[in-house]
Every structure is written in C-alpha cells, then in structure tokens.
Amino acid sequence: MFDNFITIITDFYTLLLQGVGITLLLAVSGTIIGFIISLVFGMIRVQSINPYDNYFVQVLKTDLNNFVKIYVTIFRGTPMILQALIFYYGFLFIGLDWSALSAGIFTVSLNTGAYLTEVIRSGINSVEAGQMDAARSLGMSYPKAMFYVVFPQALKNSMGAIGNELIINIKDTAVLSTIGIIDLFSATETIIGTTYLHLEAYTIGAIIYLFLTFTSSKLLMALEKKLGANVVEITSSN
Amino acid sequence: MNILEIKNLSISFDNTTIIDDISLNVKKGEIISIIGPSGSGKSTLLKCINLLNIPDTGEIIFNGTNILTSFNKVNQIRSKIGMVFQSFNLFNNMNVLKNCIIGPTKILKIKKSEAELEALRLLDLVGMKEFKNAKVATLSGGQRQRVAIARCLAMKPDIILFDEPTSALDPEMVGEVLDVIKKLTNDGITLIIVTHEMAFAKEISDRVIFMSDGKIVEDGTPSEIFDNPKNERTKSFLQRFNNH
Ligand SMILES: Nc1ncnc2c1ncn2[C@@H]1O[C@H](COP(=O)(O)OP(=O)(O)OP(=O)(O)O)[C@@H](O)[C@H]1O
Ligand SMILES: [Mg+2]
C-alpha cells in the first residue's frame, strides 16, 4: 500500500501540482473578486434613508438594497455546484463560449461575494454609532467618514471571517470538477481512472487539501496579527 | 450679535414629542449650561444644532444661515460647530495625534505639518501632548475626553456643544476635564454645555437653561437659576439634586 502512494506521487506529481495550481487559482481569485463585490454590496446594505435625501436617492437606495438582499439570499441558499452548472450551461446556451475555468471563477466569486457582503455589512454595523457621529460632527462627508473612520475598523473586525472564506473556498471548489475543471479533486479522479487506486488517490488528495488549508490559515493568522486584527474563528460552509 | 438663533424647534420620535417648540438665542462668546432631568431632550437639542438629528419643524440660524435649508452645506456648517460626546468617540483606528489632525487635513485641507504643529499645541493645552503617539485603547476616560476636546478645537469651531462631557467618567477624572473646559471660557468661543455638574455650571456659565419635557422651563443667570429659581419644576429638580 505504501508503495502505491509512492507510485502515485512519482507518476502523477505534475498532474497533482497542476491541480493544486487550479484549486488555488479558483480559491484566491474567487475570494479577491468576491471581496471586491462585497465591498460594494456591503456598503449598499448599510445605506439607510435620510430625511433629506431627495426622492431619486431614496428610490435608488431602496432598490439597490433589495437587489443585494435577493442576490445574497439566492447565492447563500443554493449549492455552489448547481450555481456553477447553471452559469456554465446557461452562458453556453445564450451563445457565450467560455471555458469551464472562467465559469468556475465566475461562480466562486459571486458565491463568495454573497457571503462576504453579509460579513462586511455586519462588520460596519459592529462599529459603534458614535464613531460615525463624531466623524460627521467634525464636518466629514459620509464617504469620508466611512473611508477614514468606520470602514478601517469594520475591515479589522471582518479580517477573520474573510480569511475563513478563503479556506472554505480552497476546499469547496472541489465541486467545480463537475463542470470539467481540472482542479486538485479532478486530478485525483484522473489518477484513479488510470490506476484504480481509489483509497490511495483520495487519501493523497485529502492530505494535499489539508496541507493547503493548514498553511493558508497559518499565513492568514500571521497576517492578521501583523495588522492587529481581532483573530476570530468562524465556522461556516458554503 | 447672535451666533445661533433657534426658532420654534420641534422634533418627535415615534409620535412622542421630544423637543417641543423651543426658541433660544445664543450670543457670540456666551457660555450656556443646560440642565434638566434625564429624557428631557437635552442631547436631542444639541444633536439638532449639529444636524445629527433633523428637526420636524422650526429654524436654526447659525451665523446668519438657516442650516435646516442648507443641507448642501451641511459639512461646512458642521465643521464650524464642534461636538464633545459623553462617550468621547475618539477614532479607535487612529492614535492621539492622528485623531487631532484628521479633520484639519482631510476637511480643511491644511498641510499635515501645520496641522500637526497646531494639534500638538492643543494637546499641550489639554495636558495630553506626551500621549501623542498613544493608542486610544490605552487611555483612561478622562484622557480620552481631553483628547476629544483637542480634536474638536483643531477644527477652529465657532461654537462647541458639550453633551455631558463628564458623565461617563470615574469621579476622580471629572476635575481634569472640567478644568480643560474652564480654560476654554476665556477664548471668546461660544460654549453650550449639557451637564449634571451643578457647581461647575454655576461657576462658569453666563446663562443657565433648565429643560424639562422638551421645553425650556427657565432661562437666566446662574444665580437666578440656582439661588432663586422661580419655576416649581426647577425648584424641585435642584432640590432633588442637592439631596443626592
Ligand atoms: N433617535 C431616537 N429615536 C427614538 N427616540 C429617541 C431618539 N433619540 C432620543 N430619543 C428619546 O428622546 C428622549 C429624550 O432623549 P435625550 O437623549 O435628548 O434626553 P436627555 O435630556 O439628553 O437625557 P439624559 O440626561 O438621560 O442624557 C428619550 O426618551 C429618548 O429615548
Ligand atoms: Mg443626554
């Protein structure tokens, strides 16, 4: 059995490394794009209507808020594997010829965006109202007060949850092999296709996933410590 | 000259009237203390002046401008009206010095070096210069409030609103903050101070206002209010205070 492990690694290490590359690409780019989405959408979610907003602004705020709420509900309420399949085939159906990898990154990004929108929203809401009041009372505009005072604190509160999302993405992108992406999970399946060493290949896959998540979480913890963020352990899963 | 004229101001929250048709003129350089029972609308009145609360009806004329019809200038108006909060509200993501220069540099567009120089002068005034690099979290309440006052002064406001600046402090720190406020009374700056420190109010104020149930019940000199209150509600409020 031990020999089988050695055989798999020596014969298929390029395939495995390629799989690791794709898995990291999906997880990292998905988390970064999702984070950017969440900045915009999280900011929309914390907008409330002021008595002196004009009619147009009031309607805009309400509509955008409802749009983001629906987006978050849909993406958090359906399995990522179905989101990926619907996007992949849906776009092919309307004539957009895109690769499985593009569809994968697209899906992970939107999925992560939905989760992180809630993280950013609660991060902003967790900053005491007095911080905003003090900033506004100095004469800062709302965007300035957000940018200089509230948002940096919100981000610090959210660091742990954002890092956690990256770890989840490393693991959960395994489902994207369904649309034909050759990620780490798919690589182990390919190995099994030629060697029939089910247990050994799956075990190697699991060990590599564990190595990736463990290393990333250590790196994130070091980063958070450096930035002085509150280290929080949040368990959630897509 | 009146720096501030409040005319028939009212505001309700959830159908409860909190400020009930208040009118008040404030002269430039005047030191006014507002006293009154909890829930009488003192904080709400200050927040209205700073547009953190938007009144339902009435006018607030600040330096000749009705600020309630000038929302496009709200930031400029607020930069001239300082506010010191009961809970200090120093910016937690900045050190002491940064707290005092963020307004001048980002709002007034003053050069950083100039803003720092002025901030250090003000921090010296409030006795916090040596803490310029300290993080907010490491400061005591009294220290935080003194920095908050310096942050406010750095904007060169025409008027400063204090909302119970010492109520959240341990008793031994009240004095250091009151001393700093007392220093400001000689600078010609207009101060409106909501406080429960009656001896302090009596000592430093030109005028004392007693509020109850959203109305100004009595308005007079410190000796008129504290030594010869005319209104029954003022009398019983002060009596309750003296018995504590
Ligand atoms: N944004 C708000 N929404 C609803 N009710 C409010 C709001 N702000 C104030 N109130 C209510 O208005 C009343 C007056 O509040 P305010 O804070 O002005 O009183 P205060 O005189 O400052 O009292 P205290 O001495 O306790 O600080 C309170 O009953 C309070 O609950
Ligand atoms: Mg109050």
Side-chain angles (χ1 to χ4, degrees), chain B residues 159-197:
Chain B
I159 182 166
I160 303 182
L161 314 171
F162 289 87
D163 191 4
E164 301 194 30
T166 59
S167 295
L169 297 177
D170 293 336
E172 69 269 20
M173 293 173 193
V174 170
E176 64 190 64
V177 171
L178 294 183
D179 286 344
V180 166
I181 299 174
K182 209 185 293 176
K183 276 191 196 174
L184 306 181
T185 59
N186 308 318
D187 288 358
I189 191 164
T190 310
L191 306 180
I192 301 182
I193 307 164
V194 171
T195 185
H196 292 300
E197 297 291 331

Side-chain angles (χ1 to χ4, degrees), chain A residues 137, chain B residues 3-6 9 11 19 22 24 26 32 34 41-55 59-62 67-68 74 77-83 159-162 191-194:
Chain A
S137 80
Chain B
I3 190 168
L4 186 69
E5 294 176 9
I6 296 173
L9 197 74
I11 186 169
I19 298 286
I22 280 190
L24 171 69
V26 180
I32 297 184
I34 301 179
K42 306 180 299 293
S43 299
T44 307
L45 178 63
L46 290 192
K47 283 188 173 174
C48 285
I49 298 172
N50 209 354
L51 297 175
L52 289 174
N53 279 155
I54 309 298
E59 287 178 21
I60 301 177
I61 317 282
F62 172 66
I67 62 175
L68 297 181
V74 62
I77 292 163
R78 282 200 188 119
S79 71
K80 293 276 118 204
I81 304 178
M83 180 124 187
I159 182 166
I160 303 182
L161 314 171
F162 289 87
L191 306 180
I192 301 182
I193 307 164
V194 171

